[in-house]
Amino acid sequence: MTQFVLVAGAWLGAWAWEEVVPALREAGHGVHPLTLSGLAEKRGIPAGQQTHVQDIVDEVERLDLRDVVLVGHSYSGIPVGQAAERIGGRLARVVFVDANVPQDGESFASAWPEGRAMVEASMAVNDGCWAPLGAELYAGHGLTDEQVARIMGGATPHPGASLIEPAALARPLGELPATYIQCVLGNPELNPDVAALLAGERWRLATLDTGHWPMFSQPRELARVLLEAATA
């Protein structure tokens, strides 16, 4: 039985996977949505990027999970990618859902130079957090008005330190067994770093014809692709 550990991106918690979980469980697998420190019900807990890496490792070890598929969406691809190499033989596969991927010594913000200033400005007036952005962020991503309202209603400020702290990789990311799920609506081009990883032998590409938040816009389709990735 595969054990899926699901980690959503910036501003989101375990609740974001509510419509994905049933299909994975119906297929007979264990499913463990995880809220990272400082977000959702864990709001207010100080957290850097390495805190988030440890959150994931601790959850896998606490539950003594084996045959683990770690799933990281958006920002969470960075801590998930680091945690994947730290759980050793417990890992079956890592899946990046339209996600950032970690680069040794680089942060989430360092790959987005104009964004770092925006993040830091938000941190200065939001107790060190990156405040959720407005509804315009979600336009063109295949979301209904109700889905956008749900995302925004559940979003909490994201711990800013996690966005500017650099990743630390012990070995090349391309050595991990991985699937990258590209959500082509609104952003049909792969990041060059991801394209380079997909050129390797251990990475696979899957696509979804939706936008950046498929757990809301196409939850059953996302679950199907996750199930396929688990048997890759």
Side-chain angles (χ1 to χ4, degrees), residues 1-231:
M1 181 172 68
T2 296
Q3 301 289 341
F4 289 93
V5 177
L6 309 175
V7 192
W11 310 307
L12 305 176
W15 64 270
W17 300 98
E18 287 175 356
E19 295 184 51
V20 177
V21 168
L24 300 178
R25 288 189 173 148
E26 287 165 10
H29 302 294
V31 191
H32 312 276
L34 176 63
T35 294
L36 298 175
S37 294
L39 293 158
E41 72 274 15
K42 297 179 182 177
R43 184 174 180 175
I45 298 174
Q49 187 188 118
Q50 294 307 310
T51 311
H52 288 167
V53 175
Q54 198 61 48
D55 285 341
I56 300 162
V57 174
D58 287 349
E59 184 77 350
V60 170
E61 294 181 345
R62 180 181 69 83
L63 298 174
D64 194 22
L65 301 178
R66 308 281 171 171
D67 195 21
V68 174
V69 173
L70 287 183
V71 180
H73 162 251
S74 194
Y75 153 78
S76 289
I78 296 177
V80 160
Q82 294 169 81
E85 68 175 16
R86 298 184 195 182
I87 64 172
R90 296 175 184 269
L91 180 74
R93 196 163 195 86
V94 58
V95 180
F96 298 91
V97 181
D98 219 42
N100 300 84
V101 295
Q103 298 182 64
D104 190 52
E106 300 292 335
S107 70
F108 172 87
S110 63
W112 185 29
E114 68 277 14
R116 178 163 186 142
M118 181 177 65
V119 168
E120 290 180 340
S122 184
M123 289 170 62
V125 296
N126 288 286
D127 296 321
C129 291
W130 184 26
L133 300 181
E136 66 279 359
L137 177 68
Y138 304 99
H141 285 275
L143 296 160
T144 65
D145 290 344
E146 291 77 13
Q147 288 165 343
V148 172
R150 184 179 170 213
I151 297 171
M152 295 181 64
T156 49
H158 191 97
S162 69
L163 304 172
I164 58 179
E165 184 178 338
L169 292 172
R171 58 192 177 100
L173 195 64
E175 294 180 5
L176 292 173
T179 296
Y180 191 91
I181 301 176
Q182 180 190 11
C183 297
V184 299
L185 186 63
N187 187 23
E189 299 298 324
L190 282 169
N191 181 292
D193 296 324
V194 173
L197 288 162
L198 286 165
E201 294 181 357
R202 308 209 71 189
W203 280 56
R204 301 288 182 269
L205 177 66
T207 60
L208 283 171
D209 188 18
T210 190
H212 187 60
W213 291 271
M215 64 278 286
F216 298 101
S217 60
Q218 290 190 359
R220 292 200 67 86
E221 292 84 350
L222 175 58
R224 174 184 56 78
V225 175
L226 291 176
L227 290 167
E228 291 173 354
T231 60

